[in-house]
Amino acid sequence: MADEQFFETLRKRFAAAQQAEQSQRQEMLEDLRFRAGEQWPQDIQQAREQDHRPCLTINRLPATIHQVVNDVRQNRPTPTVSAVDDAGDIETAKVYQGLIRHIERQSHAPAVRSYAADYAISIGRGYYRVVTDYASPTSFDQEIYIRRIKNPFSVYFDPSCQQPDYSDAQWAFVVDNLSRDEYKRRWPDSEMARGGFTSIGDREPIWVSADGVQVAEYFHIGYAERTLALLEDGRTAFADQVADRGLIVQERPTQVPTVKWCKTNGFEKLQETIWAGQWIPIIVVLGEEIDVDGETRLSGMIRDAKDPQRMYNYWASAQTEMIALAPRAPYVAAEGQIEGHEHQWEQANVRNFPVLTYKPKALGDHLVPAPQRQTFEPPVMAISQARMQAADDLKSTTGIYDASLGARSNETSGRAILARQREGDVSNFHYIDAINTAITHETRILVDLIPKIYDRPGRVVRIIGEEGDERTVALNTPTKDRGVDRIYAMDAGKYDVAVSVGPSYTTKRAEAAESMLEFIKVYPQAAQFIGDLLAKNMDWPGAQEIADRLRKLLPPELQKADGEQQIPPAVQAKVQQLNQMVEQLTQALNQASDEIRTRKYELESRERVEAMKVQAQLIKTQVEAGSREGIELLRQEIAAIDQRLSTLGIDEPVTDEPEMEQPAPGQPTAQQPMPEGQ
């Protein structure tokens, strides 16, 4: 009974979604075909082709749509993650953001979003989704991916949604139509494959038809009644998970949502599982949304541009027809003049005959003139003006004018040209804002999903910085990241997201380099201080090496390494105080060294004077003695004094830093005591 009720509810929900959007989907399908070039009403096109009349299609809409879509590609929204409670961490928020960039890169997210935006801008709505899968065939770790939904008509959402991102949807379908043979190949053991096609098709032709079987992914949210408990330390937990009831301060009932998924043929569950997140992981990108008497109407740029485009095609065809057929005006001939030559005259407007033969006819006594063309002046000028008016109407309905498409106008200054181009951007900015809304919801889904998918302690993941720099971090375990002990607990704290729309980092870098060049032209003195930053923002090879060299030429106070943390003011004051103390101690040490050096010089000078006096006295004694033995003894004494004077450097001038000579072998050094007896 439970299964019967489940499938009855499932089929009713799908029928309700299909009925609510039936007319809306028909208009969207017509818009899509119109963009593809099917712009003439079928009966008019057949009639013109039968008459061999021009039926031209000058499709100007794709270029207009690409103008807005490519603006989305250039100005990629950037999600930002921030902590919102005391359990959150700024560094962990940066890991979240870097991990989201990793998910975007491996999923080719810009292409996925641009594809959905293209449909939203064209027909009013596009979709993409978030999925999980194993990192590799040999791994148990899962990864998160962003995937496109190629056919937006395959998605059916809860029509009671009120939020612009459909985040309040209670159920959704993603359908796929398979042939009966393909269905049997995938699910050969299902009841329907064993012979239920005919009976089910008779009752539910929506799910089973002569062409095949409709298989749907069915997301639906269920709620479980639980009791939430507030603990003494401020933490919250479910009451049935708290072992000590005495720790509970307050309780309240709550409903916990669970997203369930199954693949079904409308009567059987072919697969089923529980989705890890709290939202249905399908992201909608809307175009223009208006509510008319309770009925939601969605449209894109094509809806209001169809009539001007049809007029443009008609006038282009009429102009071509008038100019091409002007020399082929019909002939006027008297009855019987072309008798016997009808075949030749019937092809006169198609083939160029050198001679056209006719029979002369007389009216009384006068011959009737030869057949002549009925010439007239076609209204080419009026048609050209009507065609130009249709082109202007097309610009008005799309909000894209010639300046936005790069055409020259009467503006002369660059500022005026940019102002005209921005008019088109502003008139279609609601499409950019819809992308912003979609990516905000997408990022919320990722932030909610990351702690549940990347939950293994010690799992190493790649994170990507804003500049594209990569590094790896370990999650949910103590780790050392860039020399600092951290723990990135992905399941602790709450984190909020915000999305800013602007140019990509590469575009910003090019604009920064251009702006710095203009600034240097106005203020050349700044070049020596910002030269490294200018080189860093250049795209040519070797720019980073040049930036590193220029940084070394900066004053010491500007040579701050990239990524260096700002020193707190209190620490800066302490460092400055220590530097002053070191400077004072250095001055005192230098002063003491000077005093010691001065006293040393004074002592050496006194010793030199006394030695010279002794030498003079010995010479005098030598002269007075007069004996050989005395003279020989005096010579030995004088030689000893000379050796001592040589050691003292009596012949060298006294300097602040006397050169140190290597003593001769056997001679004493300044650090060795004099030998006894000398």
Side-chain angles (χ1 to χ4, degrees):
M1 293 296 296
D3 285 345
E4 290 180 5
Q5 185 178 2
F6 172 81
F7 288 112
E8 185 68 23
T9 301
L10 180 151
R11 291 191 293 270
K12 285 183 178 180
R13 285 179 171 180
F14 183 79
Q18 191 177 46
Q19 183 178 1
E21 296 187 351
Q22 185 173 2
S23 60
Q24 177 81 5
R25 287 171 174 263
Q26 184 62 35
E27 291 181 342
M28 288 181 174
L29 185 58
E30 292 176 359
D31 293 345
L32 194 60
R33 288 173 176 168
F34 194 90
R35 178 189 172 174
E38 301 178 17
Q39 299 179 354
W40 286 86
Q42 189 173 2
D43 55 343
I44 295 177
Q45 184 175 2
Q46 290 177 353
R48 294 180 72 91
E49 289 176 351
Q50 288 176 358
D51 295 338
H52 302 288
R53 300 176 62 190
C55 190
L56 305 180
T57 300
I58 314 298
N59 195 357
R60 299 181 54 147
L61 291 176
T64 303
I65 295 171
H66 292 159
Q67 179 69 23
V68 184
V69 175
N70 291 335
D71 194 22
V72 173
R73 290 188 174 99
Q74 286 183 336
N75 300 284
R76 295 178 179 175
T78 304
T80 303
V81 181
S82 57
V84 296
D85 62 2
D86 55 352
D89 177 57
I90 296 178
E91 293 300 322
T92 304
K94 293 180 180 179
V95 172
Y96 264 102
Q97 197 160 327
L99 188 53
I100 290 174
R101 292 194 188 99
H102 160 74
I103 295 171
E104 291 176 336
R105 177 182 290 185
Q106 70 177 2
S107 304
H108 306 288
V112 173
R113 296 166 181 160
S114 300
Y115 186 84
D118 193 299
Y119 273 96
I121 295 168
S122 299
I123 64 175
R125 186 168 59 191
Y127 296 99
Y128 63 101
R129 66 190 302 178
V130 176
V131 301
T132 60
D133 199 358
Y134 289 106
S136 69
T138 59
S139 174
F140 285 95
D141 290 331
Q142 289 195 0
E143 290 278 0
I144 302 174
Y145 299 94
I146 301 170
R147 296 286 186 248
R148 75 173 184 173
I149 297 178
K150 188 176 181 181
N151 181 11
F153 294 97
S154 65
V155 180
Y156 292 83
F157 254 99
D158 180 1
S160 63
C161 294
Q162 299 296 317
Q163 298 302 320
D165 53 9
Y166 291 8
S167 59
D168 58 338
Q170 298 300 301
W171 49 267
F173 293 89
V174 181
V175 301
D176 188 13
N177 292 311
L178 304 176
S179 66
R180 294 188 178 186
D181 292 338
E182 178 65 17
Y183 176 86
K184 288 181 179 179
R185 186 188 68 81
R186 293 191 185 182
W187 297 283
D189 298 330
S190 67
E191 182 180 349
M192 185 179 291
R194 293 197 300 265
F197 288 112
T198 304
S199 60
I200 295 175
D202 294 337
R203 291 183 288 118
E204 294 287 344
I206 295 177
W207 291 92
V208 179
S209 64
D211 297 331
V213 181
Q214 177 176 271
V215 177
E217 294 181 64
Y218 176 46
F219 292 91
H220 59 105
I221 299 179
Y223 294 89
E225 295 286 346
R226 302 190 69 176
T227 301
L228 184 67
L230 177 64
L231 306 183
E232 291 180 348
D233 57 0
R235 294 182 296 112
T236 58
F238 292 112
D240 55 2
Q241 297 176 345
V242 179
D244 187 359
R245 299 285 301 177
L247 299 176
I248 298 178
V249 177
Q250 187 178 355
E251 293 182 344
R252 71 173 181 88
T254 185
Q255 290 186 333
V256 181
T258 301
V259 180
K260 302 177 181 179
W261 173 92
C262 75
K263 181 159 284 189
T264 177
N265 56 21
F267 298 87
E268 300 174 79
K269 292 181 181 180
L270 305 174
Q271 295 174 257
E272 66 176 331
T273 188
I274 301 295
W275 175 251
Q278 61 175 311
W279 290 288
I280 295 174
I282 301 176
I283 297 97
V284 61
V285 184
L286 298 179
E288 289 194 57
E289 182 184 26
I290 57 175
D291 189 289
V292 181
D293 195 20
E295 180 185 357
T296 300
R297 296 185 182 179
L298 300 173
S299 63
M301 296 181 68
I302 295 176
R303 186 74 52 83
D304 295 330
K306 288 197 288 189
D307 286 341
Q309 179 64 57
R310 289 192 184 104
M311 289 297 299
Y312 190 85
N313 291 338
Y314 175 79
W315 290 122
S317 300
Q319 186 179 39
T320 302
E321 184 178 12
M322 289 295 178
I323 296 175
L325 297 182
R328 307 286 187 178
Y331 284 91
V332 177
E335 185 178 359
Q337 282 188 310
I338 62 173
E339 186 178 352
H341 306 285
E342 291 87 355
H343 180 71
Q344 188 179 24
W345 283 92
E346 287 175 356
Q347 297 184 358
N349 281 342
V350 180
R351 297 175 59 187
N352 292 323
F353 292 100
V355 176
L356 291 174
T357 306
Y358 75 99
K359 289 183 178 181
K361 292 290 182 178
L363 184 60
D365 296 335
H366 299 281
L367 288 174
V368 177
Q372 297 179 358
R373 286 186 181 275
Q374 186 67 31
T375 60
F376 72 100
E377 185 66 27
V380 177
M381 184 61 68
I383 294 176
S384 297
Q385 291 179 351
R387 182 178 177 183
M388 293 174 61
Q389 182 61 48
D392 289 339
D393 293 340
L394 194 58
K395 298 171 190 175
S396 300
T397 55
T398 59
I400 300 295
Y401 295 90
D402 293 338
S404 297
L405 297 172
R408 297 190 62 180
S409 185
N410 55 358
E411 295 89 354
T412 56
S413 67
R415 187 179 297 273
I417 294 173
L418 290 176
R420 282 292 300 273
Q421 290 177 344
R422 286 172 183 158
E423 289 179 9
D425 295 340
V426 172
S427 63
N428 291 288
F429 188 76
H430 55 287
Y431 295 114
I432 309 296
D433 189 57
I435 296 293
N436 189 5
T437 301
I439 296 180
T440 301
H441 185 48
E442 169 205 321
T443 309
R444 283 198 326 218
I445 292 175
L446 295 178
V447 170
D448 174 56
L449 207 57
I450 284 174
K452 302 162 186 175
I453 301 301
Y454 300 91
D455 57 345
R456 178 170 60 82
R459 179 175 177 180
V460 177
V461 297
R462 176 183 68 172
I463 62 174
I464 302 175
E466 183 182 6
E467 301 182 14
D469 53 304
E470 302 178 8
R471 61 189 179 95
T472 57
V473 297
L475 304 180
N476 307 310
T477 188
T479 183
K480 185 176 289 294
D481 184 19
R482 291 178 293 188
V484 180
D485 292 330
R486 300 187 184 279
I487 178 170
Y488 298 117
M490 310 306 289
D491 58 347
K494 296 180 180 179
Y495 296 88
D496 195 9
V497 299
V499 175
S500 60
V501 180
S504 63
Y505 179 78
T506 303
T507 304
K508 291 179 181 178
R509 186 174 64 176
E511 292 178 352
E514 184 177 356
S515 300
M516 282 189 280
L517 285 173
E518 294 296 329
F519 179 73
I520 289 175
K521 291 179 182 178
V522 178
Y523 187 60
Q525 294 84 353
Q528 58 181 328
F529 301 109
I530 65 174
D532 61 320
L533 300 178
L534 178 60
K536 181 181 178 181
N537 286 280
M538 295 295 184
D539 285 331
W540 27 264
Q544 186 60 48
E545 288 76 4
I546 294 177
D548 294 339
R549 293 188 181 185
L550 291 175
R551 186 182 294 110
K552 295 178 181 179
L553 301 177
L554 294 174
E557 60 271 14
L558 296 181
Q559 293 184 11
K560 181 180 178 181
D562 293 338
E564 182 179 349
Q565 296 183 354
Q566 185 68 29
I567 301 177
V571 178
Q572 291 182 356
K574 188 66 175 178
V575 171
Q576 185 176 4
Q577 182 180 1
L578 292 174
N579 289 336
Q580 292 177 355
M581 293 178 59
V582 170
E583 185 176 357
Q584 294 174 359
L585 292 173
T586 302
Q587 292 178 354
L589 178 61
N590 293 336
Q591 184 177 359
S593 299
D594 292 341
E595 292 179 357
I596 293 172
R597 190 180 299 111
T598 302
R599 292 183 180 181
K600 176 182 178 182
Y601 293 158
E602 291 178 355
L603 292 174
E604 290 182 350
S605 298
R606 292 177 182 175
E607 188 175 356
R608 290 177 182 180
V609 171
E610 292 298 329
M612 292 176 65
K613 289 181 179 180
V614 172
Q615 184 179 19
Q617 185 63 35
L618 290 174
I619 293 172
K620 180 179 179 182
T621 305
Q622 178 183 0
V623 174
E624 292 177 352
S627 62
R628 290 185 178 180
E629 293 81 1
I631 292 174
E632 185 63 26
L633 181 60
L634 287 174
R635 286 179 179 175
Q636 293 178 1
E637 294 291 337
I638 292 172
I641 293 174
D642 288 338
Q643 183 178 1
R644 178 60 180 163
L645 291 176
S646 176
T647 303
L648 294 175
I650 193 171
D651 295 331
E652 298 177 1
V654 177
T655 60
D656 290 343
E657 296 181 3
E659 296 182 359
M660 298 296 296
E661 294 184 356
Q662 295 294 335
Q667 291 185 353
T669 61
Q671 290 79 16
Q672 296 175 343
M674 291 289 293
E676 293 183 3
Q678 294 187 0

